[in-house]
């Protein structure tokens, strides 16, 4: 087969046999009835046996799982052990409904009941859907949904992956991810980077590759090569076995400094970043203590949560982003769920227009947490569109003693007026995910637009260059905290464009550090010029990869 191209979202190369995710469990036909002559009691026993099989399987998989996957599987196993769903399904058999349809309809009722209770119980509705699908699969004699179990390491191929699927991935057996759908900022892409797995999304034709076919996945180039030569497979596997480490100082081969920081979103992530040797935190996402809540957390609660994240970085720089509510992170007490186009609506800093008290409470909590932790706290606001908004935020932060205040550059208008911006702020941080979305007019969550939602787009790189140059002239640091920083080749380009720091998932730091050490500052500039002069993202990526010895 010919080489398949997609969008590379997590760098690295891996080779292994293809394992396909089972097809989603479809809804049984409405009105499906029991087969002629079927015994209701026997069908009821079959439902109970299927539920027990699902429970036992989930408990067995939980015992062998790692990390977040343990909790996901244990929660689902508990739901499978609850007799509520089985009893409700068995009752529906009496009117002639088929066993699979009875389970489906009973699950819908249980889900509605849980959702009406709200809070923690509403969250369990998702577990009911998972259990429903698994029971129906057993009744129909089909493979259970979720990541297949294999003793031999494999490349996982799917149309796309749900959060519950990705939470159960084990990097010890899953070598790489390839999906036909999804985009650079999809859940699959983010998880692949967090796990350090090579990944390609939007790979049209990947589902045509037969199960067990050996493929070579290049997450940097965005390609999948079926049936690669044996010597190439051996070379890739030998390279993957090497362990890279980071000595704590990001730099090029001629000593040009580039801070290598971590993106974190909770205390667990902060601890992992500190263990990985990150020079600090370039993006602390504070949404974790606001999400799934009906009201704003108290200042004291925020202080405790933020201190837990900041503590591992005492004496080091931590850039704290204020609440980025809205769009894909709606909050009932702050945002309007009825907006026709929430990505262009009241989100990020704009929520402070009507609810300034929420931002003030957060700034107070950040300042107190900084004092308690000993971290060097910088603070920045998301979704800033004008230099005037930037000035307003800096002044508001100063009232709480937060002297190092800056903004996220995600809106093209701000990147096009960088001189005015730098006169107002202490620093700027480029959020390349949203900057790409707004520059290319392409929803970053829509897989069909994955080729446009690519940080390699020359138009996006030009905006990065404009902002970095203005920072250099004004002696203001300009970093990148979008997912683009985790791509070693793109990190070289960003360095050549003039950014002073790169913030990424902690697992990507050793690869980025090693790649930067392979080039001089002058080579970074030359490669950046190659990317800027390319006609599109694919050409920019190919031109730079061809010139980088470790990646060529």
């Amino acid at each position: 087969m010919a080489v398949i191209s997609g969008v590379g979202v997590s760098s690295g190369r891996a080779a292994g046999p293809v394992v396909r995710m089972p097809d989603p469990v479809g809804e049984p036909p409405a009105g499906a009835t029991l087969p002629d002559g079927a015994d209701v009691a026997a069908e009821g026993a079959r439902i109970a046996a299927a539920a027990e099989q699902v429970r036992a399987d989930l408990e067995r998989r939980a015992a062998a799982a790692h990390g977040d996957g343990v909790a996901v599987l244990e929660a689902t196993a508990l739901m499978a052990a609850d007799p509520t769903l089985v009893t409700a399904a068995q009752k529906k058999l009496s009117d002639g409904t088929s066993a699979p349809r009875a389970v489906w309809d009973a699950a819908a009722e249980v889900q509605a009941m849980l959702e009406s209770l709200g809070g923690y119980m509403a969250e369990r509705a998702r577990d009911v859907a998972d259990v429903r699908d698994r029971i129906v699969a057993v009744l129909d004699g089909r493979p259970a949904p979720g990541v297949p179990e294999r003793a031999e390491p494999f490349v996982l191929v799917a149309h796309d992956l749900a959060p519950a699927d990705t939470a159960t991935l084990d990097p010890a057996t899953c070598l790489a991810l390839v999906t036909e759908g999804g985009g650079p900022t999809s859940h699959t892409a983010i998880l692949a980077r967090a796990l350090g797995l090579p990944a390609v999304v939007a790979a049209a034709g990947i589902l045509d590759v037969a199960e067990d076919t050996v493929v070579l996945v290049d997450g940097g180039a965005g390609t999948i090569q079926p049936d690669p030569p044996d010597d190439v497979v051996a070379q890739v596997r030998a390279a993957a076995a090497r362990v890279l480490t980071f000595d704590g100082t990001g730099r090029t081969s001629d000593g040009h400094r580039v801070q290598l920081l971590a993106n974190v979103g909770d205390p667990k992530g902060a601890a992992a970043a500190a263990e990985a040797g990150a020079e600090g935190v370039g993006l602390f996402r504070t949404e974790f203590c606001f999400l799934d809540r009906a009201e704003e957390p108290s200042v004291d609660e925020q202080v405790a949560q933020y201190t837990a994240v900041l503590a591992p970085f005492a004496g080091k720089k931590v850039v704290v982003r204020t609440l980025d509510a809205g769009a894909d992170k709606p909050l009932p007490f702050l945002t309007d769920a009825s907006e026709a186009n929430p990505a262009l609506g009241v989100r990020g800093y704009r929520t402070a227009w009507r609810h300034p008290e929420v931002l003030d409470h957060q700034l107070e909590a950040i300042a107190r947490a900084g004092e308690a932790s000993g971290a060097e706290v910088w603070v920045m606001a998301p979704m800033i569109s004008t230099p005037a908004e930037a000035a307003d935020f800096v002044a508001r932060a100063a009232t709480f003693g937060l002297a190092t205040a800056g903004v996220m550059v995600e809106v093209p208008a701000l990147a096009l007026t960088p001189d005015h911006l730098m006169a107002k702020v202490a620093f700027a941080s480029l959020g390349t995910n949203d900057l790409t979305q707004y520059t290319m007019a392409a929803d970053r969550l829509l897989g069909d637009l994955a080729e446009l939602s690519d940080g390699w787009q020359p138009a996006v790189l030009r905006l990065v260059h404009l902002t970095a140059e203005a920072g250099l002239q004004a002696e203001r640091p300009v970093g990148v905290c979008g997912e683009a920083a985790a791509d070693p080749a793109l990190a070289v380009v960003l360095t050549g464009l003039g950014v002073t720091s790169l913030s990424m998932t902690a697992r990507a730091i050793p690869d980025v550090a090693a790649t930067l050490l392979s080039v001089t500052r002058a080579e970074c500039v030359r490669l950046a010029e190659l990317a800027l002069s390319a006609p599109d993202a694919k050409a920019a990526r190919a031109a730079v990869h061809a010139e980088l010895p470790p990646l060529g």
Side-chain angles (χ1 to χ4, degrees):
M1 292 182 66
V3 172
I4 296 170
S5 294
V7 177
V9 295
S10 183
S11 63
R13 300 203 298 169
V18 164
V19 168
R20 288 273 297 275
M21 283 283 289
D23 293 332
V25 174
E27 178 178 352
T33 59
L34 288 170
D36 291 340
D39 181 75
V40 171
E43 287 297 286
R46 198 162 73 90
I47 291 175
E52 172 58 25
Q53 181 179 329
V54 167
R55 180 202 62 76
D57 179 63
L58 288 166
E59 288 184 349
R60 178 182 57 79
R61 296 186 66 170
H66 303 274
D68 294 339
V70 176
V72 171
L73 291 167
E74 287 180 343
T76 313
L78 284 173
M79 188 62 69
D82 189 321
T84 304
L85 175 60
V86 170
T87 301
Q90 289 171 330
K91 290 179 179 178
K92 292 183 177 298
L93 295 173
S94 59
D95 63 6
T97 301
S98 71
R101 187 69 214 189
V103 171
W104 197 275
D105 290 343
E109 294 173 0
V110 175
Q111 285 179 281
M113 181 268 292
L114 292 173
E115 288 169 352
S116 70
L117 297 174
Y120 172 81
M121 297 308 294
E123 289 295 308
R124 303 282 64 79
R126 284 181 285 188
D127 297 332
V128 174
D130 193 358
V131 170
R132 173 201 68 197
D133 291 350
R134 292 174 183 277
I135 294 176
V136 169
V138 172
L139 291 172
D140 286 344
R142 288 186 286 167
V147 179
E149 290 184 288
R150 284 289 189 94
E152 179 188 12
F154 58 87
V155 172
L156 184 63
V157 169
H159 173 70
D160 206 352
L161 295 174
D165 297 327
T166 53
T168 62
L169 284 176
D170 182 0
T173 55
C174 182
L175 300 172
L177 300 176
V178 184
T179 62
E180 187 179 55
T185 56
S186 66
H187 186 87
T188 301
I190 292 170
L191 182 105
R193 287 186 284 260
L195 294 177
L197 295 175
V200 180
V201 300
I206 189 60
L207 296 182
D208 295 331
V209 178
E211 186 109 359
D212 292 321
T213 300
V214 174
V215 295
L216 170 61
V217 179
D218 190 326
T223 59
I224 305 97
Q225 179 184 358
D227 298 316
D230 291 343
D231 60 331
V232 174
V233 171
Q235 183 185 46
V236 168
R237 289 177 174 171
R242 294 198 301 266
V243 177
L244 295 176
T245 58
F246 176 48
D247 65 8
T249 304
R251 63 198 183 280
T252 60
S253 62
D254 55 346
H256 174 74
R257 282 284 283 122
V258 184
Q259 276 191 318
L260 299 184
L261 312 168
N263 295 340
V264 304
D266 53 34
K268 182 180 177 181
E275 186 177 347
E279 296 187 62
V281 173
L283 172 62
F284 168 21
R285 304 181 183 94
T286 56
E287 292 78 36
F288 76 104
C289 63
F290 288 82
L291 297 177
D292 299 322
R293 299 183 62 125
E295 58 185 22
E296 173 194 4
S298 69
V299 171
D300 287 343
E301 184 179 352
Q302 291 183 58
V303 171
Q305 297 273 21
Y306 300 158
T307 301
V309 173
L310 297 173
F313 291 96
K316 293 185 177 182
K317 166 181 165 183
V318 177
V319 182
V320 184
R321 183 182 69 188
T322 56
L323 186 59
D324 189 17
D328 59 333
K329 296 183 285 290
L331 295 177
F333 57 88
L334 197 59
T335 58
D336 181 2
S338 66
E339 285 183 347
N341 195 343
L344 298 178
V346 180
R347 57 170 295 201
Y349 184 66
R350 298 172 181 179
T351 60
W353 296 349
R354 290 188 179 179
H355 300 280
E357 73 285 353
V358 175
L359 177 58
D360 287 342
H361 293 159
Q362 187 175 29
L363 290 172
E364 178 187 347
I366 291 169
R368 286 172 53 186
E371 292 176 1
S373 66
E376 181 189 339
V377 172
W378 297 20
V379 64
M380 64 181 179
M383 203 60 181
I384 296 290
S385 300
T386 67
E389 287 180 354
D392 288 343
F393 173 74
V394 170
R396 188 183 292 268
T399 64
F400 294 94
L402 295 164
T404 308
V407 298
M408 294 279 288
V409 178
E410 304 163 287
V411 179
L414 200 60
L416 291 168
T417 55
D419 295 337
H420 296 293
L421 170 66
M422 295 304 167
K424 309 294 185 184
V425 299
F427 71 97
S429 185
L430 290 142
T432 52
N433 297 350
D434 273 323
L435 184 61
T436 303
Q437 170 174 244
Y438 296 133
T439 301
M440 305 305 296
D443 186 340
R444 64 192 183 99
L445 301 179
L446 191 59
D448 289 344
L449 301 179
E451 286 194 18
L452 295 176
S453 302
D454 190 336
W456 281 91
Q457 291 288 353
V460 176
L461 297 179
R462 287 183 185 279
L463 294 177
V464 173
H465 188 45
L466 283 173
T467 308
E469 281 291 299
L472 180 63
Q473 293 301 318
E475 298 183 345
R476 299 286 190 271
V478 174
V480 168
C481 63
E483 296 296 340
D487 181 337
L490 191 46
V492 168
V493 169
L494 295 171
T495 298
L497 294 175
V499 303
T500 57
S501 65
L502 298 165
S503 190
M504 65 204 76
T505 178
R507 284 181 176 268
I509 291 177
D511 283 327
V512 171
T515 305
L516 284 175
L517 271 174
S518 73
V519 292
T520 64
R521 161 68 175 163
E523 288 172 321
C524 291
V525 171
R526 181 178 66 83
L527 293 173
E529 290 172 348
L530 274 180
L532 284 174
S533 63
D536 54 42
K538 184 176 290 188
R541 179 186 283 106
V544 173
H545 272 256
E547 296 289 322
L548 273 174
L551 303 175

